[in-house]
PDB file of all heavy atoms in Angstrom:
ATOM      1  N   GLU Z 254      -1.076  -9.279 -16.214  1.00  0.00           N
ATOM      2  CA  GLU Z 254       0.088  -8.727 -15.522  1.00  0.00           C
ATOM      3  C   GLU Z 254      -0.272  -7.918 -14.285  1.00  0.00           C
ATOM      4  O   GLU Z 254       0.471  -7.905 -13.303  1.00  0.00           O
ATOM      5  CB  GLU Z 254       0.905  -7.849 -16.479  1.00  0.00           C
ATOM      6  CG  GLU Z 254       2.040  -8.564 -17.154  1.00  0.00           C
ATOM      7  CD  GLU Z 254       3.117  -9.018 -16.189  1.00  0.00           C
ATOM      8  OE1 GLU Z 254       3.547  -8.220 -15.337  1.00  0.00           O
ATOM      9  OE2 GLU Z 254       3.536 -10.179 -16.282  1.00  0.00           O
ATOM     10  N   ILE Z 255      -1.390  -7.214 -14.306  1.00  0.00           N
ATOM     11  CA  ILE Z 255      -1.763  -6.386 -13.163  1.00  0.00           C
ATOM     12  C   ILE Z 255      -2.233  -7.277 -12.017  1.00  0.00           C
ATOM     13  O   ILE Z 255      -3.145  -8.092 -12.174  1.00  0.00           O
ATOM     14  CB  ILE Z 255      -2.874  -5.383 -13.524  1.00  0.00           C
ATOM     15  CG1 ILE Z 255      -2.395  -4.419 -14.610  1.00  0.00           C
ATOM     16  CG2 ILE Z 255      -3.320  -4.604 -12.287  1.00  0.00           C
ATOM     17  CD1 ILE Z 255      -1.289  -3.494 -14.176  1.00  0.00           C
ATOM     18  N   CYS Z 256      -1.607  -7.126 -10.858  1.00  0.00           N
ATOM     19  CA  CYS Z 256      -2.012  -7.881  -9.660  1.00  0.00           C
ATOM     20  C   CYS Z 256      -2.986  -7.078  -8.806  1.00  0.00           C
ATOM     21  O   CYS Z 256      -3.951  -7.619  -8.262  1.00  0.00           O
ATOM     22  CB  CYS Z 256      -0.793  -8.239  -8.820  1.00  0.00           C
ATOM     23  SG  CYS Z 256       0.378  -9.329  -9.655  1.00  0.00           S
ATOM     24  N   GLY Z 257      -2.714  -5.776  -8.669  1.00  0.00           N
ATOM     25  CA  GLY Z 257      -3.565  -4.953  -7.831  1.00  0.00           C
ATOM     26  C   GLY Z 257      -2.993  -3.555  -7.690  1.00  0.00           C
ATOM     27  O   GLY Z 257      -2.022  -3.185  -8.363  1.00  0.00           O
ATOM     28  N   ALA Z 258      -3.606  -2.792  -6.795  1.00  0.00           N
ATOM     29  CA  ALA Z 258      -3.181  -1.411  -6.554  1.00  0.00           C
ATOM     30  C   ALA Z 258      -3.406  -1.068  -5.086  1.00  0.00           C
ATOM     31  O   ALA Z 258      -4.252  -1.665  -4.410  1.00  0.00           O
ATOM     32  CB  ALA Z 258      -3.954  -0.443  -7.449  1.00  0.00           C
ATOM     33  N   VAL Z 259      -2.627  -0.098  -4.610  1.00  0.00           N
ATOM     34  CA  VAL Z 259      -2.682   0.319  -3.202  1.00  0.00           C
ATOM     35  C   VAL Z 259      -2.675   1.833  -3.135  1.00  0.00           C
ATOM     36  O   VAL Z 259      -1.944   2.487  -3.886  1.00  0.00           O
ATOM     37  CB  VAL Z 259      -1.478  -0.236  -2.408  1.00  0.00           C
ATOM     38  CG1 VAL Z 259      -1.566   0.173  -0.938  1.00  0.00           C
ATOM     39  CG2 VAL Z 259      -1.393  -1.755  -2.536  1.00  0.00           C
ATOM     40  N   VAL Z 260      -3.492   2.389  -2.247  1.00  0.00           N
ATOM     41  CA  VAL Z 260      -3.392   3.807  -1.919  1.00  0.00           C
ATOM     42  C   VAL Z 260      -3.028   3.903  -0.443  1.00  0.00           C
ATOM     43  O   VAL Z 260      -3.650   3.257   0.405  1.00  0.00           O
ATOM     44  CB  VAL Z 260      -4.705   4.576  -2.223  1.00  0.00           C
ATOM     45  CG1 VAL Z 260      -5.898   3.991  -1.482  1.00  0.00           C
ATOM     46  CG2 VAL Z 260      -4.539   6.055  -1.898  1.00  0.00           C
ATOM     47  N   SER Z 261      -1.991   4.678  -0.141  1.00  0.00           N
ATOM     48  CA  SER Z 261      -1.449   4.779   1.219  1.00  0.00           C
ATOM     49  C   SER Z 261      -1.511   6.232   1.677  1.00  0.00           C
ATOM     50  O   SER Z 261      -0.958   7.113   1.010  1.00  0.00           O
ATOM     51  CB  SER Z 261       0.005   4.283   1.250  1.00  0.00           C
ATOM     52  OG  SER Z 261       0.097   2.969   0.744  1.00  0.00           O
ATOM     53  N   ILE Z 262      -2.165   6.455   2.794  1.00  0.00           N
ATOM     54  CA  ILE Z 262      -2.307   7.801   3.344  1.00  0.00           C
ATOM     55  C   ILE Z 262      -1.228   8.004   4.393  1.00  0.00           C
ATOM     56  O   ILE Z 262      -1.161   7.268   5.382  1.00  0.00           O
ATOM     57  CB  ILE Z 262      -3.708   7.999   3.958  1.00  0.00           C
ATOM     58  CG1 ILE Z 262      -4.791   7.653   2.929  1.00  0.00           C
ATOM     59  CG2 ILE Z 262      -3.873   9.424   4.460  1.00  0.00           C
ATOM     60  CD1 ILE Z 262      -4.675   8.419   1.624  1.00  0.00           C
ATOM     61  N   ARG Z 263      -0.388   9.002   4.194  1.00  0.00           N
ATOM     62  CA  ARG Z 263       0.725   9.264   5.092  1.00  0.00           C
ATOM     63  C   ARG Z 263       0.668  10.716   5.583  1.00  0.00           C
ATOM     64  O   ARG Z 263      -0.210  11.474   5.198  1.00  0.00           O
ATOM     65  CB  ARG Z 263       2.057   8.962   4.390  1.00  0.00           C
ATOM     66  CG  ARG Z 263       2.180   7.493   3.950  1.00  0.00           C
ATOM     67  CD  ARG Z 263       2.127   6.549   5.135  1.00  0.00           C
ATOM     68  NE  ARG Z 263       2.304   5.157   4.778  1.00  0.00           N
ATOM     69  CZ  ARG Z 263       1.305   4.285   4.700  1.00  0.00           C
ATOM     70  NH1 ARG Z 263       0.042   4.688   4.937  1.00  0.00           N
ATOM     71  NH2 ARG Z 263       1.545   3.024   4.406  1.00  0.00           N
ATOM     72  N   PHE Z 264       1.617  11.102   6.420  1.00  0.00           N
ATOM     73  CA  PHE Z 264       1.550  12.409   7.065  1.00  0.00           C
ATOM     74  C   PHE Z 264       1.848  13.560   6.109  1.00  0.00           C
ATOM     75  O   PHE Z 264       1.108  14.531   6.043  1.00  0.00           O
ATOM     76  CB  PHE Z 264       2.520  12.448   8.257  1.00  0.00           C
ATOM     77  CG  PHE Z 264       2.111  11.552   9.383  1.00  0.00           C
ATOM     78  CD1 PHE Z 264       2.737  10.310   9.569  1.00  0.00           C
ATOM     79  CD2 PHE Z 264       1.092  11.914  10.254  1.00  0.00           C
ATOM     80  CE1 PHE Z 264       2.357   9.470  10.602  1.00  0.00           C
ATOM     81  CE2 PHE Z 264       0.705  11.073  11.297  1.00  0.00           C
ATOM     82  CZ  PHE Z 264       1.338   9.855  11.466  1.00  0.00           C
ATOM     83  N   GLN Z 265       2.924  13.458   5.356  1.00  0.00           N
ATOM     84  CA  GLN Z 265       3.349  14.557   4.495  1.00  0.00           C
ATOM     85  C   GLN Z 265       2.886  14.400   3.054  1.00  0.00           C
ATOM     86  O   GLN Z 265       2.862  15.381   2.308  1.00  0.00           O
ATOM     87  CB  GLN Z 265       4.885  14.667   4.522  1.00  0.00           C
ATOM     88  CG  GLN Z 265       5.467  14.881   5.910  1.00  0.00           C
ATOM     89  CD  GLN Z 265       5.009  16.181   6.540  1.00  0.00           C
ATOM     90  OE1 GLN Z 265       4.774  17.165   5.843  1.00  0.00           O
ATOM     91  NE2 GLN Z 265       4.886  16.198   7.858  1.00  0.00           N
TER      92      GLN Z 265
END
Side-chain angles (χ1 to χ4, degrees):
E254 265 295 313
I255 298 294
C256 297
V259 181
V260 57
S261 304
I262 306 305
R263 299 298 183 257
F264 292 102
Q265 302 298 328

